[in-house]
Amino acid sequence: MKEAVHRIPGVVLIDHTFDVPLDHDRPSGETIRVFAREAVASGRETEDLPWLVYLQGGPGFPAPRPTARSGWLKRALQDYRVLLLDQRGTGRSTPLTAQTLAARPTPEDQAAYLRNFRADAIVRDAEAIRRELVGPDRRWTVLGQSYGGFCALRYLCAAPAGLAGALFAGGLPPIDRPVDEVYRATYRRVIEKNERFYERYPDDVARTRAVVDALLEQTVSLPGGDRLTPRRFQQLGIGFGASDGFEPVHYLLEEAFIDDSRGRALSETFLWRFENAFSFQTNPLYAVLHEAIYAQEAATRWSAERIRSEYPVFDASAPGSVYFTGEMIYPWMFDEYRGLRPLRAAAEILAETPDWPRLYDREALGQNEVPCAAAVYYHDMYVERAFSEETAAAVRGLRLWVTSEYEHNGLRAEGETVLGRLLDLLHGRA
């Protein structure tokens, strides 16, 4: 359904909502709402332009909210009518939060509901929207950023007839690798990022150690009431995979301590900024389903927690440098984050679920006829480069660009250049 129309300089924005089945295998059952925002260059509203669908990273985050004709969107609007999809459970789509899940009476009911929010369901939503919005016989191109690329690969496997092209920006997932292998590779990348962080900011070795020692010696509460533990503090490394990921942590550490009436203590400014640095509680889908995005016909069993024990460098209580962790989700988070506690039992059920459907079909990818281009970032902390290259080799016709010039946020940081290069590859201009 077409709704409001808004204008920002150079761009016309058109709101759409769609009703889709919660479970596409039960089309007459419960339905949810999916929101999408169409963007078209001003003055071209009536032109018959091809469509580009943006699939956001995550899981559990909405599409970007445009404020200007800039970045990758500026480049996209030269050629396309863009659809910014709020994947199910995010943004203005039917929300998925601890508050809304409370309507499900048992953890088992909550877990059963959450199983419907992976890439396979997102792709089926996109196909339903394509048929309704642009017509069943017209194809569109998808642009997948990070986890959005996982969704795009699923699209190639499950519904290639709906695609005119597929673009991947740091989001080629492993096809067959067990989840434990994924986290072993990721931990090694996180260790490399920690070493680079301390090379850039050597004084932060002592600052970080001082913060952890303070947390080990006394109980420190965050403004929202949660306790700040060393392992929660270590999660600041989640941003280390971005080109600008070191600086927020460094500047936060610079103001960690203050001298007050009690002597030297962690500053309230530091505690407020630390708490506001995370979105696990406002976007719980990310925490609940993060490991499940890798699950295929096997339980994850809290892989990141189990594999962490293989890397003693992450033991913050040990003397020496404190190593930050990355994008991992741990079971203790559902105790230490107040907003996640109501979902603890459902998260445990999902972690032990053995029958996740297979997301990727190697045979289908080997027969692919959809034009594809992918950017793989050489030092990517979130999506292992070696596994991405394996997947690229399995997709027939995919044109691969491996670069060390950008980090995982290349599409955000240098969007015009990155998308321009991908489109040149897709259309044979490079």
Side-chain angles (χ1 to χ4, degrees), residues 70-98:
S70 60
W72 70 264
L73 183 62
K74 180 180 180 181
R75 175 63 187 87
L77 291 177
Q78 294 178 25
D79 303 322
Y80 293 98
R81 189 180 297 270
V82 175
L83 192 69
L84 301 166
L85 180 67
D86 279 359
Q87 297 166 14
R88 53 171 52 202
T90 73
R92 287 180 57 188
S93 296
T94 299
L96 193 155
T97 65

Side-chain angles (χ1 to χ4, degrees), residues 129-297:
I129 292 169
R130 180 185 64 84
R131 291 190 293 269
E132 180 176 340
L133 185 62
V134 307
D137 300 322
R138 188 171 184 183
R139 301 183 175 199
W140 57 19
T141 297
V142 292
L143 167 61
Q145 159 65 19
S146 188
Y147 174 67
F150 290 35
C151 298
L153 195 73
R154 170 64 186 180
Y155 217 141
L156 286 177
C157 296
L163 295 178
L167 302 167
F168 300 83
L172 280 174
I175 298 174
D176 300 313
R177 295 274 184 173
V179 65
D180 286 1
E181 289 188 26
V182 171
Y183 281 106
R184 286 190 181 96
T186 305
Y187 274 118
R188 291 193 291 269
R189 293 289 181 187
V190 174
I191 290 171
E192 293 174 3
K193 296 295 185 182
N194 273 274
E195 292 168 350
R196 289 180 58 197
F197 173 72
Y198 287 130
E199 287 174 3
R200 182 176 298 182
Y201 298 112
D203 290 347
D204 286 348
V205 173
R207 291 188 177 112
T208 305
R209 181 75 261 168
V211 171
V212 169
D213 288 345
L215 298 177
L216 290 169
E217 293 167 3
Q218 58 189 287
T219 298
V220 176
S221 295
L222 292 165
D226 289 349
R227 180 180 177 183
L228 177 54
T229 60
R231 58 190 179 184
R232 184 161 172 174
F233 169 70
Q234 287 174 280
Q235 290 188 298
L236 279 173
I238 193 171
F240 277 5
S243 58
D244 55 357
F246 291 166
E247 281 59 49
V249 177
H250 169 66
Y251 296 134
L252 183 64
L253 290 169
E254 281 188 326
E255 300 182 12
F257 288 95
I258 193 170
D259 293 322
D260 62 14
S261 59
R262 299 165 297 174
R264 189 166 172 78
L266 289 169
S267 73
E268 291 184 358
T269 299
F270 167 81
L271 296 174
W272 276 108
R273 290 179 179 170
F274 177 90
E275 188 165 57
N276 291 331
F278 298 93
S279 59
F280 296 123
Q281 306 193 81
T282 55
N283 300 82
L285 185 59
Y286 178 91
V288 174
L289 284 186
H290 195 271
E291 289 199 355
I293 69 175
Y294 298 105
Q296 299 191 98
E297 301 173 331

Side-chain angles (χ1 to χ4, degrees), residues 8-146:
I8 60 176
V11 187
V12 179
L13 301 170
I14 305 166
D15 294 354
H16 299 272
T17 57
F18 307 88
D19 292 325
V20 299
L22 171 66
D23 181 351
H24 283 273
D25 288 330
R26 300 175 58 199
S28 60
E30 181 178 355
T31 62
I32 58 174
R33 180 182 67 251
V34 174
F35 172 80
R37 181 175 279 114
E38 176 185 346
V40 61
S42 298
R44 306 188 71 185
E45 299 94 315
T46 61
E47 293 185 31
D48 185 21
L49 297 167
W51 285 81
L52 177 72
V53 181
Y54 180 75
L55 299 173
Q56 172 66 29
F61 294 94
R65 272 41 183 168
T67 58
R69 185 173 174 173
S70 60
W72 70 264
L73 183 62
K74 180 180 180 181
R75 175 63 187 87
L77 291 177
Q78 294 178 25
D79 303 322
Y80 293 98
R81 189 180 297 270
V82 175
L83 192 69
L84 301 166
L85 180 67
D86 279 359
Q87 297 166 14
R88 53 171 52 202
T90 73
R92 287 180 57 188
S93 296
T94 299
L96 193 155
T97 65
Q99 184 179 12
T100 61
L101 280 171
R104 311 279 161 176
T106 68
E108 290 75 17
D109 292 328
Q110 293 174 359
Y113 184 77
L114 286 159
R115 281 179 60 112
N116 294 292
F117 287 80
R118 290 203 312 164
D120 41 4
I122 292 168
V123 168
R124 295 183 78 170
D125 291 344
E127 273 295 276
I129 292 169
R130 180 185 64 84
R131 291 190 293 269
E132 180 176 340
L133 185 62
V134 307
D137 300 322
R138 188 171 184 183
R139 301 183 175 199
W140 57 19
T141 297
V142 292
L143 167 61
Q145 159 65 19
S146 188

Side-chain angles (χ1 to χ4, degrees), residues 205 209 212-213 216 312-313 315-323:
V205 173
R209 181 75 261 168
V212 169
D213 288 345
L216 290 169
V313 70
D315 180 1
S317 65
S321 299
V322 175
Y323 275 56

